[in-house]
Amino acid sequence: MTAAHSSPEGSSAEWATVLEEMEGEILAAQQSLEDGRAEDIAAWSRRTADWTPPQDLGRLPMDLRERAARLLQHQLAVAEELAERILQSRQQRDLAARMSYARTRPAAAFVDRAL
């Protein structure tokens, strides 16, 4: 049934398409993490809009709830890994900044001469 019918439950086919799109996004983020692509990881961190389902979908059909729950768990795991990588990146950046502003240490000098 579609949202135009009397049932508030959405179409399985429409919801399946939406879940496939979400899964593609999650897999892309996961691949960015696995490849260690800092620019892509940073781009994921700048995303500010939360996902909301399209208005005309209706409720998630019962036959897709288990799939949606697994997808949510996968999404949460990837989001946690993204957050961890972003934190590590910021810590490394802060450390590098502190090191670049640190006073220079005297360099060791060696004299090569016969005894």
Side-chain angles (χ1 to χ4, degrees):
M1 288 188 180
T2 62
H5 291 90
S6 61
S7 172
E9 189 171 278
S11 161
S12 287
E14 291 170 348
W15 265 105
T17 300
V18 168
L19 293 177
E20 286 170 15
E21 290 171 3
M22 287 182 69
E23 187 172 29
E25 293 258 334
I26 294 166
L27 292 174
Q30 186 175 24
Q31 190 63 52
S32 294
L33 289 167
E34 290 172 5
D35 294 346
R37 297 188 310 245
E39 300 83 24
D40 291 347
I41 293 169
W44 283 104
S45 73
R46 290 189 293 272
R47 296 181 81 170
T48 57
D50 289 336
W51 180 85
T52 54
Q55 296 285 338
D56 59 347
L57 275 180
R59 282 190 284 172
L60 181 65
M62 290 297 292
D63 62 324
L64 293 176
R65 290 187 183 195
E66 186 177 326
R67 178 181 176 193
R70 284 192 314 268
L71 185 58
L72 175 61
Q73 291 304 310
H74 189 188
Q75 182 182 39
L76 292 173
V78 171
E80 185 177 323
E81 178 69 19
L82 275 170
E84 191 173 302
R85 293 281 186 93
I86 292 164
L87 179 61
Q88 290 173 354
S89 177
R90 287 181 180 156
Q91 289 171 339
Q92 290 172 353
R93 183 195 63 211
D94 291 347
L95 178 62
R98 284 195 305 272
M99 291 174 70
S100 67
Y101 292 118
R103 293 186 340 190
T104 57
R105 297 184 203 169
F110 297 95
V111 178
D112 187 16
R113 67 177 185 177
L115 292 176

